[in-house]
Amino acid sequence: DTAVSQTPKYLVTQMGNDKSIKCEQNLGHDTMYWYKQDSKKFLKIMFSYNNKELIINETVPNRFSPKSPDKAHLNLHINSLELGDSAVYFCASSQQGLGYTFGSGTRLTVV
Amino acid sequence: AQSVTQLGSHVSVSEGALVLLRCNYSSSVPPYLFWYVQYPNQGLQLLLKYTSAATLVKGINGFEAEFKKSETSFHLTKPSAHMSDAAEYFCAVSDLNTDKLIFGTGTRLQVFP
């Protein structure tokens, strides 16, 4: 059983399109996150949700809209994709800052 | 604000040699510190974590790290490098106010035969 699973693993799309990435965790954690890893491998938090409530929004463009239907799911919808959105997006979950478990990543390529 | 600094974006060692990856932290409160490894085209795997218990933390794959408050450091070591250790390593600190993980810029470890 995969603890944090995200789909799809790869996503290639044209500029201007809208796409979604899904994430699910079966660890019972209260908090879920989206991180972005750029081409230089730098990891930066985008959003965090605690029990379906938005906690952190790190000055991400409003083209990015996270949605958490329940505490086990955190999806990321991106409107009007731009070339600069190309990156690897990681979903993660944690329990009170003691353990963070990451998904295997979604490599988004905008052409 | 809490942060971590990883000294050296690239480290190269011979197989069998000591691995030392450096991490210094900045925190106004006792931090929770982590080391993650990322193999090529894969996700992040937790190597070890410090959560204010023992200062010497042992992790997976023979890695360990020592929390030194006086030096604000949490360096990662392994006595003998294997070819399979070649990967990107990230040090991270947990911001307990916001419950988010703040990463360093990463260190790429190369292991030569």
Side-chain angles (χ1 to χ4, degrees):
Chain A
D1 274 349
T2 303
V4 179
S5 59
Q6 51 183 112
T7 56
K9 190 170 176 66
Y10 299 97
L11 188 52
V12 181
T13 188
Q14 291 186 326
M15 282 174 53
N17 283 351
D18 303 338
K19 290 294 178 186
S20 291
I21 308 171
K22 295 186 176 182
C23 180
E24 176 182 2
Q25 56 101 359
N26 62 7
L27 298 167
H29 288 169
D30 287 332
T31 310
M32 295 186 71
Y33 312 80
W34 279 108
Y35 279 81
K36 179 179 179 180
Q37 185 173 44
D38 63 23
S39 58
K40 295 184 178 179
K41 302 287 188 183
F42 186 61
L43 282 151
K44 191 173 185 340
I45 190 168
M46 299 173 69
F47 301 102
S48 80
Y49 270 72
N50 183 282
N51 208 5
K52 302 192 298 176
E53 185 179 338
L54 179 65
I55 302 298
I56 296 172
N57 180 339
E58 290 278 318
T59 61
V60 177
N62 58 15
R63 297 183 295 105
F64 290 78
S65 52
K67 284 187 172 51
S68 182
D70 56 61
K71 79 171 195 176
H73 295 83
L74 180 61
N75 303 323
L76 183 65
H77 188 76
I78 316 170
N79 290 327
S80 303
L81 278 155
E82 301 177 357
L83 293 177
D85 298 330
S86 296
V88 181
Y89 294 84
F90 286 100
C91 178
S93 70
S94 81
Q95 190 66 25
Q96 297 178 329
L98 291 176
Y100 296 80
T101 303
F102 284 80
S104 56
T106 296
R107 183 175 295 274
L108 172 65
T109 304
V110 182
V111 297
Chain B
Q2 291 165 303
S3 65
V4 289
T5 302
Q6 291 185 243
L7 299 174
S9 58
H10 288 84
V11 170
S12 297
V13 300
S14 299
E15 194 173 18
L18 171 72
V19 175
L20 170 60
L21 305 182
R22 299 178 187 273
C23 174
N24 288 90
Y25 69 90
S26 173
S27 177
S28 57
V29 297
Y32 288 175
L33 293 160
F34 305 80
W35 275 99
Y36 281 85
V37 61
Q38 185 178 28
Y39 298 102
N41 298 315
Q42 294 191 27
L44 294 154
Q45 183 180 6
L46 179 67
L47 276 177
L48 49 80
K49 63 183 177 185
Y50 168 78
T51 56
S52 71
T55 56
L56 181 62
V57 182
K58 294 188 184 298
I60 62 171
N61 301 339
F63 284 93
E64 62 182 38
E66 186 172 7
F67 173 75
K68 290 187 177 180
K69 185 178 179 181
S70 60
E71 299 176 9
T72 61
S73 68
F74 190 57
H75 301 331
L76 182 71
T77 60
K78 182 173 180 177
S80 176
H82 294 165
M83 296 295 290
S84 59
D85 293 327
E88 192 88 22
Y89 290 80
F90 293 94
C91 181
V93 62
S94 176
D95 183 329
L96 298 181
N97 290 325
T98 59
D99 199 20
K100 70 180 181 183
L101 203 55
I102 301 164
F103 285 91
T105 49
T107 298
R108 174 161 291 182
L109 175 66
Q110 287 185 299
V111 182
F112 293 100

